[in-house]
Every structure is written in C-alpha cells, then in structure tokens.
C-alpha cells in the first residue's frame, strides 16, 4: 500500500463512524520501490491530496522529514522540482507491505498483507 | 491498448478475462481523445478488478494512478501480479465495491460487474459466484453502487459500466440520470448468447 492509496481510504463505512479519516498506520514492513517521476502528474496528484493525512502517514512510516508539515509553506510548488520529487517519493515510492490500518474512531484494525489492505467488514459492522 | 499478460494466473478462483473484459477495454480505448483532452483523469478506480487485466491496460494507456478493489482476496493478489508484469502501478484493496474509498476524488470509475441473472442466494456464494452471479435481473451487486456515484466521482468524473441486455440498460440509464449523471451507451457487442454493452455516465456535461 502506497501512501497515496492510504490518502484515499477511510473507515466511514463502519456503522456509527462519522469521519473515519485519516486511518492510522502501523507498519511492520516498509519497502521502497522505484517509480518514474513525472512533473505534471505529480502536480495533479498534489491537487488531489489531503496534505495533513499525507504528512501524518509519512510520519508514521518514518518519512516525515521528506515533506513539509504545511503545503502552504512552499511557494509555487508546481515549479519547485526538488519539492515535487520529494512528494513523488513519499506518495508513490514508499510502500507498506505488512502492517495495519486503524479506524481513528473505533480502533477497528484492518490488516495489510502483501501490500493489500483488507477492508472487508462483517455484516454486523455496517 | 496493449493487452496485459495474464498467463501467469490460474483461473480456478478468479475471473478469466473474456469478451466482457475486452469490450470494456475497447470502449475506453475508443474514448481516447475525449479522455485525454477533456476528462484528463488523474485517479482511476476499477471495482472488481479480477485478474487485473483492465486496470493494468488502462494504467499503461492513460497517465493515471489506478486503484482497484475486489471482494476476493485472490483477485487482489492476481491484480497486483498482473500490474507488476505489465510494469504499471495498480494499488489493490480487498473491499466491497467502493466502501473504503473517500468521496470526490475519482475521475474515472470502471466496473465489469457480476451481471448474470441468478437466484439471489447465489450472489456471493463463492469466489467464482462473485465473478458472475448477479441475482435478480443480474442487478443485485451493481444496484448497490449506483446511489454512491455522485459523491464518489470528482467534478469531471466518468463511469464505465458493462451491462448485459437482461440487466435492462435503459432502466439503469434512468436510475443514473436521476442521480444527475449524463448517460450514453458507447459500445455494443454480441458474445455468444450474451448481448453486451458499455454504458458511460459522466457527472458534468463534458461531451
Ligand atoms: C466479471 S468479473 C470482472 C473481472 C475483471 N475486471 C475483468 O473484466 O476481467 C467481476 C469481478 O467483480 C468482483 N466482485 C464481485 N462482487 C464484488 C463486490 N461487491 N465488491 C468488489 N468486487 C466484487 C469479482 O470478484 C470479480 O473479480
């Protein structure tokens, strides 16, 4: 599970949960992979991101130093190649292979195995 | 559109790519220009990715980030392998439809659902039943998705759905129109006894 994927997952589907976002990550095994960098694509991805959730996720897997806590700290980020490469690295190249996601409201845990989060719910949870 | 290899997979517990899979790929390929110039998708989600053939092909064809869900964990694994072999990024989540996906981010949604009319109890009775058994009019699974679409799709979001004639495509169009989506049947094909089509629905009038 890449951090970009984490940015788009919530536990709002659990009965009684109002926001369910962002999910907490506890990672047992994190892997770094190589992905081709594309300036335009990275800018478009940033426009989709919830930055706070990304920063928290990066922090929980030991990569918070790579990106600023506030996106507003960076002027003209779309022209800042160094910054864009760092974001690219954090959102696409850091992968949680084994670990857990946790609902921030109920504490319900979702296992991540072989990089795939299992977010299936039991009938009594929905 | 290049067809990703799936010869590393066994199809005992997951869906083997068939005419419906290829029809969906062809319909997306035919929208090439419109997708690139008008929709400009950044994030694509395939529901029920199975072998991963469709999302891997789309990830290679368009410059998008592809997410996939499948209710079958073996399909999630297969999707990852297929994407890896094709040299593309597809991220898979084991989930029911789009339940864990946040709202408003999906620019392109694709679904080749279990569409065969069956008795309702057959739906979800096994991994293989998941691939095809659609309950009453073959609509039981896809009907649960429709009310979620307006929230799920981004402003420019588009949705591609494979339908069988018995699913009553016109009724599906009406349901989606009531959600404020623009609908169009963009491709039709006969495959053996199946009369298949692809319905395209988009949030805004961006034709
Ligand atoms: C007809 S197959 C399509 C597979 C692949 N996309 C293709 O076109 O070859 C339907 C897929 O949907 C999955 N599926 C069925 N019900 C689902 C649900 N409620 N949520 C997520 N996936 C589901 C099945 O496991 C299967 O992989």
């Amino acid at each position: 599970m890449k951090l970009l994927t984490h940015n788009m997952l919530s536990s709002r589907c659990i009965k009684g949960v109002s926001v369910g976002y962002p999910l907490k990550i506890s990672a047992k095994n994190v892997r770094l992979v190589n992905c081709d960098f594309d300036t335009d694509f990275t800018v478009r991805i940033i426009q989709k991101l919830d930055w706070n959730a990304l920063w928290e996720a990066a922090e929980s897997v030991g990569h918070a130093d790579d990106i600023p806590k506030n996106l507003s700290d960076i002027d003209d980020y779309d022209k800042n190649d160094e910054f864009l490469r760092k974001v690219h690295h954090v959102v696409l190249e850091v992968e949680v292979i084994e670990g857990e996601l946790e609902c921030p409201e109920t504490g319900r845990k979702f296992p991540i195995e072989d990089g795939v989060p299992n977010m299936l719910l039991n009938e009594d949870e929905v | 559109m290049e067809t990703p290899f799936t010869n590393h997979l066994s199809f005992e517990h997951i869906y083997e790519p068939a005419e419906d899979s290829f029809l969906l790929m062809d319909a997306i390929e035919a929208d090439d220009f419109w997708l690139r110039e008008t929709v400009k998708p950044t994030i694509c989600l395939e529901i029920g990715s199975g072998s991963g053939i469709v999302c891997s092909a789309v990830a290679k064809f368009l410059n998008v980030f592809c997410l996939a869900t499948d209710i079958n964990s073996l399909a999630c694994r297969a999707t990852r392998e297929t994407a890896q072999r094709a040299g593309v990024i597809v991220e898979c989540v084991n989930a029911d439809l789009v339940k864990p996906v946040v709202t408003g981010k999906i620019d392109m949604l694709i679904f080749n659902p279990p569409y065969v009319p069956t008795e309702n109890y057959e739906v979800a009775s096994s991994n293989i039943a998941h691939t095809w058994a659609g309950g009453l009019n073959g609509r039981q699974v896809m009907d649960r998705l429709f009310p979620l679409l307006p929230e799920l799709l981004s402003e420019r979001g588009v949705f591609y759905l494979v339908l069988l004639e018995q699913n009553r495509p016109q009724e599906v169009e009406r349901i989606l129109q009531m959600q404020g989506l623009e609908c169009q049947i963009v491709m039709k094909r006969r495959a053996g006894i199946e009369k298949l089509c692809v319905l395209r629905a988009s949030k805004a009038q961006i034709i």
Side-chain angles (χ1 to χ4, degrees):
Chain A
M1 182 200 67
K2 296 178 189 292
L3 298 192
L4 178 51
T5 306
H6 168 265
N7 210 263
M8 294 198 280
L9 297 177
S10 91
S11 55
R12 203 179 64 154
C13 48
I14 300 178
K15 192 168 56 186
V17 168
S18 58
V19 184
Y21 188 86
L23 299 168
K24 292 183 204 157
I25 305 178
S26 54
K28 287 196 200 84
N29 178 6
V30 175
R31 189 174 65 188
L32 297 180
V33 295
N34 275 323
C35 294
D36 295 337
F37 172 73
D38 178 327
T39 305
D40 170 60
F41 182 69
T42 310
V43 172
R44 287 192 286 133
I45 287 289
I46 293 174
Q47 291 159 356
K48 290 275 184 185
L49 287 173
D50 180 310
W51 192 264
N52 286 332
L54 178 68
W55 192 84
E56 277 179 35
E59 188 186 35
S60 63
V61 297
H63 282 265
D65 295 343
D66 296 345
I67 50 170
K69 193 160 185 181
N70 297 307
L71 182 59
S72 52
D73 291 350
I74 307 283
D75 295 328
D76 294 334
Y77 68 74
D78 52 329
K79 294 181 191 73
N80 186 335
D81 187 66
E82 189 192 339
F83 169 74
L84 293 176
R85 282 180 190 274
K86 282 181 178 166
V87 175
H88 164 82
H89 175 67
V90 171
V91 298
L92 293 174
E93 298 192 317
V94 178
E95 284 194 8
V96 181
I97 305 299
E98 310 285 334
E100 272 170 356
L101 295 172
E102 186 185 322
C103 168
E105 289 164 50
T106 62
R108 163 70 149 92
K109 295 197 163 93
F110 302 97
I112 304 168
E113 275 173 42
D114 278 337
V116 178
N118 176 349
M119 303 218 42
L120 292 173
L121 293 169
N122 303 321
E123 265 171 46
D124 58 349
E125 293 176 294
V126 292
Chain B
M1 196 181 295
E2 223 175 285
T3 306
F5 287 109
T6 50
N7 51 6
H8 56 288
L9 300 174
S10 120
F11 296 106
E12 206 178 319
H13 300 289
I14 63 170
Y15 190 73
E16 178 162 8
E19 283 297 330
D20 47 359
S21 324
F22 298 117
L23 176 66
L24 180 55
M25 287 158 65
D26 290 346
I28 293 168
E29 184 168 27
D31 274 349
D32 182 10
F33 185 75
W34 178 71
L35 284 169
R36 281 174 215 270
E37 298 299 317
T38 310
V39 182
K40 299 185 181 134
T42 303
I43 296 180
C44 171
L45 169 62
E46 180 176 22
I47 305 170
S49 55
S51 63
I53 191 165
V54 182
C55 50
S56 298
V58 169
K60 193 151 210 173
F61 182 63
L62 298 168
N63 190 11
V64 289
F65 174 70
C66 267
L67 271 176
T69 64
D70 204 294
I71 201 155
N72 172 359
S73 63
L74 297 171
C76 295
R77 205 163 282 223
T79 294
R80 265 177 82 88
E81 285 175 23
T82 301
Q84 250 154 32
R85 290 197 173 220
V88 295
I89 301 172
V90 175
E91 285 273 284
C92 207
V93 181
N94 194 189
D96 178 24
L97 298 176
V98 298
K99 278 201 183 137
V101 180
V102 297
T103 56
K105 308 271 183 186
I106 305 301
D107 304 312
M108 189 172 167
L109 179 70
I110 53 191
F111 193 19
N112 176 10
Y115 54 63
V116 178
T118 61
E119 297 292 332
N120 283 349
Y121 71 85
E122 284 180 85
V123 175
S125 57
S126 69
N127 279 338
I128 276 299
H130 271 308
T131 67
W132 59 275
L136 182 67
N137 299 324
R139 288 260 298 278
Q140 195 168 304
V141 178
M142 62 178 100
D143 274 356
R144 288 197 290 122
L145 172 72
F146 300 151
L148 310 175
L149 292 173
E151 271 212 321
L152 180 77
L153 294 173
S154 69
E155 294 284 281
R156 287 200 303 259
V158 294
F159 173 42
Y160 290 87
L161 174 70
V162 176
L163 290 170
L164 185 67
E165 193 177 42
Q166 288 87 330
N167 301 148
R168 308 183 175 177
Q170 273 147 14
E171 198 177 290
V172 173
E173 277 192 63
R174 276 199 297 279
I175 293 173
L176 297 183
Q177 278 160 358
M178 285 199 307
Q179 318 260 8
L181 301 173
E182 300 272 327
C183 297
Q184 201 177 328
I185 303 289
V186 288
M187 208 172 263
K188 285 185 181 177
R189 189 174 294 167
R190 203 188 175 104
I193 54 160
E194 293 190 335
K195 280 190 189 157
L196 296 166
C197 68
V198 175
L199 183 152
R200 183 181 79 195
S202 55
K203 201 158 180 185
Q205 196 167 8
I206 46 174
I207 316 296

